[in-house]
Amino acid sequence: MAERVKLEIAANALESALAAQAGGADRVELCENLGEGGCTPSYGTLALARERLSIPLYVLIRPRGGDFVYSPAEWEAMRRDIALCVRLGCDGVVIGALTAGGEIDAEGCASLVAAAGPLGVTFHRAFDSVPDPQHALEQIIALGCERVLTSGQAAGAPQGAAAIAAARAQAAGRLSVMAGAGLTVDNVAELVRRTGVGEVHASAKAFQAGQGSSDLPGLEGGYWRTDANQVRALRARLDEIAANQA
């Protein structure tokens, strides 16, 4: 049977992480504020997720939305957040930072990798903003990251499939190239076929109406959460790929 494609879910809250696990995800990337591309979750969310998840837990280390060029204070905050992840027994962290010129901030990222110690390290989609992806990929490999998340420098992974396939060929097994952004049950099989990736990343979220109501902007009561049924459907579609290739 063909190798099973792993499914990572970007979970924006504790309930999302639990839904991802219930739906059959292989790994959770825990964050908050997905609308801003994701930020580091709170201590309480981290601690409870570590207690209640039996699947691998990776934590996004990003102090704010916006660009990936950070101040000295933000670098210190990221190192402290990573130290907390180590203490809580998380499985890995997700990092990424750039210089003002748009290159990988190799020195800064090396300090984050060092802080992670025994934890696994994923480099996030800051990679998709660099001017020279081939050079950047070599830098990420040199940092010791075990994977890079990418949409192939496109708005979504389906549009960037050719670049994702090229990154995977360049990596040649030195790290995993994980495709993410815009993946659904309807397009994930074609994406895997075109790229050959062994890991995919999705949020699988659905809008929750909430139980309260308000006329104030931003306080309407609704919110987005990972949906276990969507995760289950993605997992089933990925398993179909393996079965068809057997």
Side-chain angles (χ1 to χ4, degrees):
M1 189 171 182
E3 186 173 348
R4 185 175 187 265
V5 177
K6 292 183 178 179
L7 173 61
E8 177 181 273
I9 294 296
N12 67 341
L14 175 63
E15 295 291 345
S16 289
L18 296 174
Q21 177 169 265
D26 295 290
R27 181 173 61 242
V28 161
E29 182 204 54
L30 189 63
C31 63
E32 62 181 31
N33 295 333
L34 266 179
E36 294 187 355
C39 297
T40 305
S42 73
Y43 168 79
T45 298
L46 277 174
L48 282 170
R50 180 65 294 171
E51 290 175 12
R52 299 184 184 184
L53 291 178
S54 57
I55 59 176
L57 170 62
Y58 277 54
V59 180
L60 178 61
I61 304 299
R62 187 177 179 223
R64 56 164 171 78
D67 65 22
F68 302 105
V69 183
Y70 298 114
S71 70
E74 288 169 331
W75 280 105
E76 180 60 24
M78 289 190 287
R79 286 190 288 269
R80 293 196 183 197
D81 282 335
I82 291 173
L84 174 61
C85 291
V86 173
R87 290 199 302 274
L88 288 175
C90 298
D91 298 284
V93 293
V94 182
I95 68 164
L98 306 178
T99 67
E103 307 285 348
I104 300 294
D105 190 330
E107 182 179 355
C109 288
S111 74
L112 301 185
V113 172
L119 305 191
V121 179
T122 298
F123 197 97
H124 60 52
R125 287 187 62 213
F127 171 67
D128 289 324
S129 298
V130 301
D132 185 346
Q134 290 76 29
H135 176 62
L137 184 60
E138 294 299 328
Q139 290 180 293
I140 292 168
I141 291 169
L143 284 168
C145 297
E146 62 183 350
R147 76 178 53 81
V148 60
L149 171 63
T150 180
S151 64
Q153 294 75 53
Q159 300 96 306
I164 295 170
R168 180 172 172 269
Q170 179 186 339
R174 292 176 292 167
L175 90 174
S176 174
V177 174
M178 178 169 61
L183 292 184
T184 68
V185 69
D186 295 320
N187 62 27
V188 70
E190 177 66 8
L191 184 282
V192 171
R193 185 192 68 79
R194 292 180 62 192
T195 62
V197 294
E199 300 183 279
V200 298
H201 170 100
S203 59
K205 62 184 184 294
F207 189 74
Q208 309 295 313
Q211 300 181 53
S213 63
S214 172
D215 294 329
L216 296 175
L219 299 177
E220 294 88 351
Y223 55 95
W224 290 89
R225 285 289 183 266
T226 296
D227 178 66
N229 288 329
Q230 289 191 43
V231 178
R232 197 170 290 114
L234 279 165
R235 179 69 268 161
R237 184 60 54 86
L238 292 171
D239 289 342
E240 287 175 9
I241 296 170
N244 291 336
Q245 293 176 347

